[in-house]
């Protein structure tokens, strides 16, 4: 969180900037400067009387000052405007607990957790003797003591349609949807993936940092989410880093399986794809993963089947978020064949950030090799020697080298009747007999580049990599 004094200076230049005022108020709140925080949030409400974030922040100030009644009134006003605001329910849970009503406190805590599984308050959880996971396992209940008036309007048919849609979205979840506390979620994180620092930072910028610093993003006018396209030769870690995202980001995670989209009946693939996006939007913040993206986003100029063209059009429609906002939804697509994608996916607002994942350079290979050597029976091991012998190798190639060397050492141990470690000489012998798996991919990329000599955004980085001398690739 920025320093409150620095934000005060910024407010001198822009005194009515709501985002800056909120940032200043939150910074003062963290530093327990409650008078200054109250003044900042009060100024926001003067400019925008219905600003829910300011009402909720002011409720927190009142709670810290011991005014539980005032905090409750502010929190309930937020719930009047936003019945499903998880932070308001969480604050009311604190208020009721402070007033000795544990039953009400548990009700509001459970409702907050069922709305948003990423909410966290370890102190409150300890005092209630209840975790977010416990709350999410409980049967969903209506909002406790909802003060929202019954403003039903429109026909009964419209109300029934809305309820049916909501029920359909809440009842069905694909097997590849994982909440933050799901025990089946991948435990890999970015520390388990060597290299790809640019891609890791881009993912943090688009989903991790916005969750940590929401007001800072508002002050800069930046939205959460967006689209990232990851492309490059197979075996370079694209799928691995997509799995690592699940363990790295504290939000919902949804992998879109091709078998769950494609359907032989006309119109069903488009409907299935739309349902995936609706699930992601309803559970934002959420990361959507599309591996083998080219299967769903083919170039329409090369497609003859009308159903496949309709699916591509639907995908573009969902990425635009024309009927629904994609705010706080990050879509990450990976492909080995970027030239097979429809160019429309590269338009700003869709996959506007494309990152080339080449074979790992020397430092990245060193990281991967150290990870692969971890917890294995190694002898006379030297990372630098193996790095030098594996130029052009992908992460998959390096894993194969270790797996093959382990098999040979295991065979020797079985026949000799005594443990045989994996030696550097054995690893080097296996590596020298192996041809990097990326050679075919780069040959195909070169052929495509020769056929399409005009500038191509996908191939600028590929051309640079292919044109670079071997020495510079070692230093990349």
């Amino acid at each position: 969180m920025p320093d409150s004094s620095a934000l005060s200076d910024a407010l001198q230049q822009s005194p009515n900037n709501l985002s800056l005022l909120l940032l200043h108020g939150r910074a003062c709140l963290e530093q327990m400067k409650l008078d200054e925080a109250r003044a900042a949030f009060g100024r926001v409400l003067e400019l925008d009387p219905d600003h829910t974030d300011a009402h909720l922040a002011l409720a927190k100030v009142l709670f810290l000052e011991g005014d539980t009644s005032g905090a409750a009134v502010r929190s309930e006003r937020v719930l009047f405007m936003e019945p499903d605001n998880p932070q308001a329910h969480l604050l009311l849970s604190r208020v009721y607990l402070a007033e000795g009503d544990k039953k009400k406190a548990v009700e509001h805590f459970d409702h907050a957790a069922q709305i948003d599984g990423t909410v966290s308050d370890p102190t409150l959880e300890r005092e209630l003797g209840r975790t977010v996971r416990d709350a999410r396992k409980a049967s969903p209940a209506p909002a406790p003591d909802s003060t929202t008036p019954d403003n039903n309007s429109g026909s009964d048919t419209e109300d029934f349609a809305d309820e049916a849609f909501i029920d359909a979205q809440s009842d069905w979840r694909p097997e590849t949807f994982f909440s933050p506390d799901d025990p089946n979620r991948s435990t890999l994180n970015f520390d388990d993936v060597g290299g790809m620092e640019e891609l890791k930072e881009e993912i943090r910028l688009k989903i991790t940092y916005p969750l940590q610093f929401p007001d800072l993003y508002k002050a800069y006018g930046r939205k959460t989410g967006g689209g990232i396209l990851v492309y490059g030769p197979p075996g370079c870690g694209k799928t691995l880093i997509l799995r690592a995202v699940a363990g790295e980001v504290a939000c919902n995670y949804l992998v879109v399986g091709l078998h769950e989209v494609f359907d032989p009946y006309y119109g069903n693939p488009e409907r299935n794809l739309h349902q995936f996006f609706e699930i992601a939007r309803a559970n934002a913040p959420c990361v959507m993963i599309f591996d083998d993206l080219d299967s769903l986003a083919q170039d329409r100029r090369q497609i003859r089947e009308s159903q496949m063209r309709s699916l591509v059009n639907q995908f573009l429609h969902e990425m635009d978020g024309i009927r629904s906002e994609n705010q706080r939804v990050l879509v990450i697509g990976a492909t080995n064949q970027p030239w097979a994608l429809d160019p429309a996916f590269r338009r700003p607002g869709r996959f506007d950030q494309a990152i080339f994942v080449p074979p790992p350079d020397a430092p990245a290979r060193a990281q991967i090799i150290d990870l692969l050597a971890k917890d294995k029976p190694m002898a006379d091991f030297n990372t630098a020697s193996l790095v030098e012998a594996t130029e052009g190798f992908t992460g998959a190639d390096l894993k194969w080298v270790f797996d093959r060397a382990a098999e040979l050492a295991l065979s020797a141990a079985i026949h000799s009747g005594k443990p045989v470690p994996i030696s550097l000489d054995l690893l080097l012998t296996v590596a020298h007999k192996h041809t990097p798996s990326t050679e075919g991919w780069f040959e195909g990329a070169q052929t495509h580049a020769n056929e399409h000599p005009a500038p191509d955004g996908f191939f600028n980085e590929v051309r640079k990599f292919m044109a670079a001398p071997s020495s510079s690739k070692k230093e990349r």
Side-chain angles (χ1 to χ4, degrees):
M1 177 66 68
D3 183 76
S4 60
S5 60
L7 289 168
S8 295
D9 294 338
L11 283 169
Q12 298 278 339
Q13 305 298 322
S14 184
N16 294 330
N17 185 313
L18 294 181
S19 296
L20 279 177
L21 283 165
L22 279 173
L23 276 174
H24 178 58
R26 292 185 187 280
C28 292
L29 189 58
E30 284 193 1
Q31 298 167 25
M32 294 302 291
K33 300 177 181 177
L34 300 184
D35 290 340
E36 294 182 42
R38 190 191 306 105
F41 298 135
R43 178 59 181 154
V44 173
L45 293 174
E46 288 177 13
L47 298 169
D48 183 358
D50 293 328
H51 200 295
T52 55
D53 286 347
H55 279 294
L56 190 57
L58 193 52
K60 291 178 181 178
V61 173
L62 294 171
F63 179 76
L64 290 171
E65 292 178 335
D67 184 0
T68 54
S69 296
V73 170
R74 290 281 179 180
S75 300
E76 287 167 358
R77 179 167 181 176
V78 171
L79 290 177
F80 180 83
M81 294 184 285
E82 296 180 4
D84 287 335
N85 187 306
Q87 293 301 325
H89 282 290
L90 208 60
L91 184 55
L92 275 174
S93 178
R94 297 190 192 101
V95 168
Y96 279 114
L97 187 62
E99 293 181 343
D101 191 340
K102 188 172 181 179
K103 181 181 178 182
K104 283 283 188 182
V106 169
E107 288 179 5
H108 282 282
F109 177 81
D110 285 5
H111 200 69
Q114 288 163 4
I115 294 169
D116 182 357
T118 65
V119 296
S120 176
D121 189 330
T123 302
L124 181 61
E125 291 178 22
R126 284 195 301 271
E127 294 180 5
L128 289 175
R130 190 171 183 79
T131 66
V132 171
R133 182 177 296 181
D134 295 333
R136 288 178 67 80
K137 287 180 180 178
S139 299
D145 290 341
S146 175
T147 56
T148 307
D150 186 5
N151 290 329
N152 290 334
S153 60
S155 67
D156 292 339
T157 304
E158 289 174 346
D159 291 342
F160 176 80
D162 289 342
E163 290 175 5
F165 175 77
I166 293 170
D167 289 343
Q169 292 301 319
S170 60
D171 290 343
W172 183 78
R173 290 288 185 275
E175 295 179 358
T176 50
F177 178 90
F178 302 97
S179 60
D181 57 350
D182 194 317
N184 297 318
R185 184 171 174 142
S186 173
T187 56
L188 287 174
N189 58 41
F190 286 173
D191 291 337
D192 299 312
V193 181
M196 291 185 275
E197 298 305 322
E198 180 189 1
L199 176 56
K200 293 174 184 177
E201 183 63 14
E202 193 63 35
I203 292 170
R204 293 187 186 105
L205 280 170
K206 289 187 181 293
I207 197 71
T208 304
Y209 297 152
L211 295 176
Q212 295 174 346
F213 312 109
D215 294 323
L216 192 59
Y217 269 68
K218 286 181 182 178
Y220 278 83
R222 297 297 299 162
K223 292 185 177 181
T224 310
I228 301 176
L229 176 64
V230 184
Y231 69 99
C236 290
K238 297 185 298 298
T239 300
L240 180 64
I241 199 165
L242 296 185
R243 290 175 55 203
V245 171
E248 186 72 20
V249 299
C251 67
N252 293 311
Y253 177 86
L254 173 60
V255 180
V256 180
L258 298 180
H259 67 287
E260 294 180 290
V261 174
F262 286 112
D263 190 293
Y265 296 100
Y266 191 84
N268 280 3
E270 298 96 298
R271 187 179 298 109
N272 295 340
L273 185 63
H274 173 69
Q275 190 170 24
F276 271 107
F277 271 91
E278 285 297 298
I279 290 171
R281 294 173 186 128
N283 292 277
C286 184
V287 176
M288 290 186 76
I289 300 294
F290 289 88
D291 206 357
D292 296 319
L293 179 67
D294 47 280
S295 298
L296 293 173
Q298 296 177 29
D299 190 338
R300 288 168 294 179
R301 296 171 297 184
Q302 309 298 325
I303 299 174
R304 293 186 179 181
E305 297 85 357
S306 61
Q307 184 170 359
M308 192 64 211
R309 290 179 62 87
S310 297
L311 180 60
V312 175
N313 289 335
Q314 182 68 34
F315 201 160
L316 291 168
H317 178 84
E318 299 295 343
M319 290 292 291
D320 288 337
I322 292 174
R323 296 184 63 182
S324 302
E325 274 290 331
N326 288 335
Q327 176 75 338
R328 302 204 305 162
V329 175
L330 173 61
V331 183
I332 307 178
T335 179
N336 297 332
Q337 303 183 65
W339 49 81
L341 300 180
D342 194 292
F345 282 97
R346 291 299 313 282
R347 201 204 73 182
R350 294 167 181 165
F351 290 107
D352 47 12
Q353 182 71 23
I355 297 178
F356 173 51
V357 180
D361 57 14
R365 289 202 304 280
Q367 287 183 340
I368 296 169
I369 288 169
D370 287 339
L371 288 169
L372 291 170
K374 187 179 179 182
D375 300 328
K376 288 186 174 65
M378 310 300 299
D380 302 323
F381 183 65
N382 183 279
T383 300
S385 298
L386 192 55
V387 167
E388 186 176 355
T390 55
E391 181 184 343
F393 280 41
T394 67
D397 291 329
L398 291 170
K399 186 177 185 304
W400 182 87
V401 168
F402 272 84
D403 288 347
R404 180 57 180 161
E407 287 178 351
L408 295 174
L410 181 61
S411 176
I414 291 172
H415 289 91
S416 66
K418 60 181 180 181
V420 176
I422 303 172
S423 66
L424 176 63
D425 288 341
L426 181 58
L427 288 166
L428 291 173
T429 299
V430 173
H432 289 147
K433 292 181 179 179
H434 183 67
T435 301
S437 59
T438 57
E439 288 188 1
W441 188 89
F442 278 107
E443 288 174 3
Q446 184 64 61
T447 300
H448 183 88
N450 292 338
E451 294 174 354
H452 302 81
D456 186 327
F458 279 129
F459 288 96
N460 288 340
E461 292 300 317
V462 179
R463 289 189 182 100
K464 290 178 185 177
F465 181 84
M466 294 173 67
S470 297
S471 59
S472 63
K473 291 177 184 177
K474 289 180 183 179
E475 296 169 359
R476 278 173 54 89

